[in-house]
Amino acid sequence: MTHQETWETVKGCKTRIMRKGQGAPLLFLHGASGAGRWLPFMETLSQDFDVIVPEHPGFGGSDTPDWLDGINDLAFFYLDLIEQLGLGPVHLVGTSLGGWIAAEMAVRNCSQLRSLTLVAAAGIHVPGVKRADMFMMSPEELVQNLFHDPAMAAAMPAPANQDELMVVLKNRLMTAKLGWSPRFHNPDLKKWLHRVQVPTLILWGDDDKLMPPAYGPAYQALIPNSRLEIIPACGHLPHVEKAEEFTRTTVAFLQGAA
Amino acid sequence: MKFYMMHLMPYADLDLDYDQTYNSAWITLPNSYYDPKKGAKLYNRYLDELEYADVLGFDGICVNEHHQNAYGLMPQPGVMAGALARRTKNVKIAILGRALPLLNNPVTVAEEFAMIDNITEGRFIAGFVRGIGAEYHAWSSNPATSHERFHEAHDLIIRAWTETGPFAFEGKHYQFEYVNLWPRPYTTPRPPIWIPSQGSSETIDWASHPDRRYTYLQTFTPVAMLAKYMQMYKDKAEQHGYQATEDQLGWSVPIYVAETDEIAMREARPHIENFLNKFLRMPKEMLLPPGYLSLQSMMGVMQAKSSIGTKQTIESVMEKGIFICGSPATVREKLKDYHAQIGFGHLLSLMQFGTLPADLTKKNMELYATEVMPWLRAQGVGVQAAAE
């Protein structure tokens, strides 16, 4: 059976949502490149969980609401979405930009969360550890920097038509709006990460060229009940590049946390 | 028609082999390439050149703002305008412009411009731009909010100049309890405002609005495009119910005049080609950060075959009319023709470009001021603008 694709209007924003599976709800928040397709890791997770993959306001098929100015707006938006759709408590999994949103949600309100999984998450700044600047990269350079394995990067398809290119540009525009300055972090977030009171898993690829692996231990030190897993020979997208290891580690953690 | 000398003040001593190591003369080119001893000499030379334009009878001189690059050494153009304000007597001084979306506090620009307008007793022209895309990398300003910050900063500056203070300003990006400008501008109700652009229908629509009627200045554009945008302004004005004057239309273009066509091309060639291929060099991602253009325009750029990185030659830019070069007779005829076809009231000539040295810049200025400008004035070109 294939996944469902539905549209929900939350806070006036028509939001595209993909969903499939049985079990405890798992809300997955995507990164800067959007949530275009139902990916193999989603399929695997859906064997054990009710996997819900919204596309963020301002990305892909979702509307761009007037109220969307920064990452805080998305954190409150998703807390509203969980409430409105009656999803909670959820396992919250966020990657990169989505990991940042997830962390911002968790410092605000953990009451509707069962657990938190941050995958190569943006959101904090580690002094002296330079992130790569995706905004200076051509589309080709960006893809090369996303993966450990160059063959995997080479296999990533370029936009096939005008509509797909428009989605790429739209996602990039909203990514800039959210993460241009301060670059992919909120200077206040680390002050409040002690408020995350649910079991937390932090996952990082050991060869993440965009968000260096040193960010993993920094997050781990700031969140009380958290543990860190480093995935070897892996870039910025563990759920794509090492999908099997990613799902195995995540499912084991979530089942332990439930 | 009125004649202005524009200057970019490039770091002309740049090691031109930098591009074997770096992909741009902007943002990422280490400033160890800048030698202050040489830079100091260049600044003073360039200021001398602009002051000489006053002596030669130009109507105005123009400076502008760029950050973190070898292409133009005026991150704070007000410093240049301030230096020129006291050393020149007749020319208008134009700052074209300040990049408003970069500002944390737009009142600083309202103040700075008002001061220059006072010191020069009204010889001042204000320019407002969004800046080129690279500035957003240089200043970490968010390009995705560039348009809304531009408009809000503009509105605040205009109110600061024209409303009696103190007043409070409550914007989305800027908030002030007290806006109360001391000094007020010398010019009543405010200095003239020019809007430089590389061509944008949105900008033209906004600048031509009857509430503003700002002078639209087309920069670095093939002549065919220039004609298109100037006509667009006139059409927009007509839709708004008035007729645009030549005073509302300007063109900025590099010009080189020498004794003959052949000498002009020979002398200008290496310097204009350095300007195009070395000083302007930057990747697309640096030039066009997300949000700088609308999604539709950006789509066009992504699909267009990239001209960035392809070498430009003096022949290619002369053919497109991006660069005007030749004997006084050739340059006169070209400008007369373009003016007759297109009808602009302000002509800004970039008389130093790239690595063009002091002696050739001086000769260029002198030939232009003695052999081209007076001839065009005598032809009665732009009587309408001159009569204002």
Side-chain angles (χ1 to χ4, degrees), chain B residues 34-276:
Chain B
Y34 177 82
D35 177 346
K37 298 282 187 306
K38 293 175 178 170
K41 293 263 181 290
L42 285 172
Y43 272 121
N44 285 289
R45 172 195 147 192
Y46 294 154
L47 285 167
D48 287 345
E49 289 168 0
L50 287 172
E51 288 168 23
Y52 190 44
D54 190 26
V55 176
L56 289 173
F58 281 78
D59 296 294
I61 52 179
C62 315
V63 294
N64 75 353
E65 169 185 354
H66 290 296
H67 297 273
Q68 301 185 9
N69 71 94
Y71 166 91
L73 292 176
M74 292 184 284
Q76 302 298 331
V79 173
M80 298 293 113
L84 293 162
R86 294 268 304 165
R87 297 273 296 179
T88 59
K89 296 299 167 215
N90 300 306
V91 280
K92 293 257 188 189
I93 298 172
I95 298 182
L96 303 174
R98 289 302 303 270
L100 301 187
L102 304 186
L103 297 167
N104 292 322
N105 180 353
V107 179
T108 54
V109 164
E111 289 175 341
E112 178 184 294
F113 283 10
M115 287 169 70
I116 298 168
D117 197 39
N118 275 262
I119 295 167
T120 58
E121 297 186 51
R123 286 188 291 119
F124 178 67
I125 294 164
F128 297 140
V129 296
R130 288 197 298 125
I132 70 164
E135 326 293 0
Y136 293 81
H137 291 283
W139 271 40
S140 285
S141 301
N142 199 327
T145 52
S146 160
H147 281 100
E148 50 187 64
R149 284 170 72 96
F150 176 87
H151 289 297
E152 197 173 308
H154 163 270
D155 295 349
L156 171 54
I157 291 168
I158 299 301
R159 284 188 61 191
W161 279 347
T162 55
E163 269 182 41
T164 301
F167 63 85
F169 185 87
E170 291 300 335
K172 178 175 171 184
H173 299 281
Y174 307 108
Q175 301 85 24
F176 295 90
E177 277 303 292
Y178 302 100
V179 180
N180 188 15
L181 212 64
W182 289 73
R184 290 197 287 131
Y186 181 89
T187 308
T188 306
R190 54 162 177 76
I193 292 169
W194 290 10
I195 307 296
S197 167
Q198 287 187 292
S200 148
S201 52
E202 193 188 17
T203 303
I204 287 172
D205 194 28
W206 177 81
S208 65
H209 190 276
D211 291 350
R212 290 177 281 274
R213 301 194 189 201
Y214 296 157
T215 296
Y216 175 79
L217 182 71
Q218 186 74 33
T219 63
F220 290 132
T221 313
V223 144
M225 296 296 280
L226 172 75
K228 181 188 125 184
Y229 287 116
M230 297 279 127
Q231 190 57 46
M232 191 185 287
Y233 191 109
K234 292 177 197 169
D235 293 345
K236 283 282 174 196
E238 210 147 287
Q239 288 166 25
H240 289 309
Y242 74 94
Q243 231 188 342
T245 66
E246 284 197 348
D247 189 44
Q248 284 168 269
L249 302 172
W251 181 29
S252 179
V253 59
I255 296 179
Y256 191 78
V257 193
E259 294 77 357
T260 66
D261 288 349
E262 192 266 324
I263 295 172
M265 274 188 73
R266 192 178 67 227
E267 287 179 346
R269 179 186 298 277
H271 309 296
I272 194 74
E273 291 182 356
N274 286 337
F275 171 74
L276 297 162

Side-chain angles (χ1 to χ4, degrees), chain A residues 69 135-139 162 165-166 169-170 172-173 176-177 180-181, chain B residues 27 136-137 140-144 172 285-286 290-291 295-296 299 303:
Chain A
D69 292 315
F135 294 120
M136 280 288 200
M137 294 176 192
S138 67
Q162 285 223 359
L165 178 59
M166 187 51 106
L169 294 173
K170 179 178 174 179
R172 199 171 159 85
L173 172 62
K177 192 162 190 182
W180 188 272
S181 183
Chain B
I27 316 297
Y136 293 81
H137 291 283
S140 285
S141 301
N142 199 327
K172 178 175 171 184
E285 289 68 35
M286 195 184 279
L295 285 177
Q296 278 304 337
M299 181 85 120
Q303 288 176 323

Side-chain angles (χ1 to χ4, degrees), chain B residues 307-329:
Chain B
S307 68
I308 301 168
T310 49
K311 268 229 175 319
Q312 301 203 66
T313 61
I314 190 169
E315 285 84 5
S316 68
V317 285
M318 282 176 68
E319 193 194 315
K320 290 184 212 143
I322 296 173
F323 176 49
I324 296 178
C325 176
S327 69

Side-chain angles (χ1 to χ4, degrees), chain A residues 160-175:
Chain A
N161 53 46
Q162 285 223 359
D163 289 347
E164 286 188 22
L165 178 59
M166 187 51 106
V167 166
V168 169
L169 294 173
K170 179 178 174 179
N171 293 348
R172 199 171 159 85
L173 172 62
M174 188 49 66
T175 299

Side-chain angles (χ1 to χ4, degrees), chain A residues 8-68:
Chain A
E8 297 287 347
T9 300
V10 178
K11 174 79 180 145
C13 176
K14 205 171 133 211
T15 309
R16 176 174 162 261
I17 298 177
M18 296 185 287
R19 186 167 187 172
K20 185 183 176 183
Q22 304 269 318
L26 185 158
L27 181 63
F28 178 82
L29 301 183
H30 66 76
S33 49
R37 293 174 298 120
W38 185 256
L39 296 172
F41 84 90
M42 298 173 185
E43 186 63 30
T44 309
L45 288 175
S46 74
Q47 290 161 15
D48 296 292
F49 299 95
D50 172 12
V51 179
I52 303 138
V53 184
E55 199 154 29
H56 307 328
F59 283 81
S62 295
D63 282 354
T64 302
D66 289 340
W67 50 256
L68 178 49

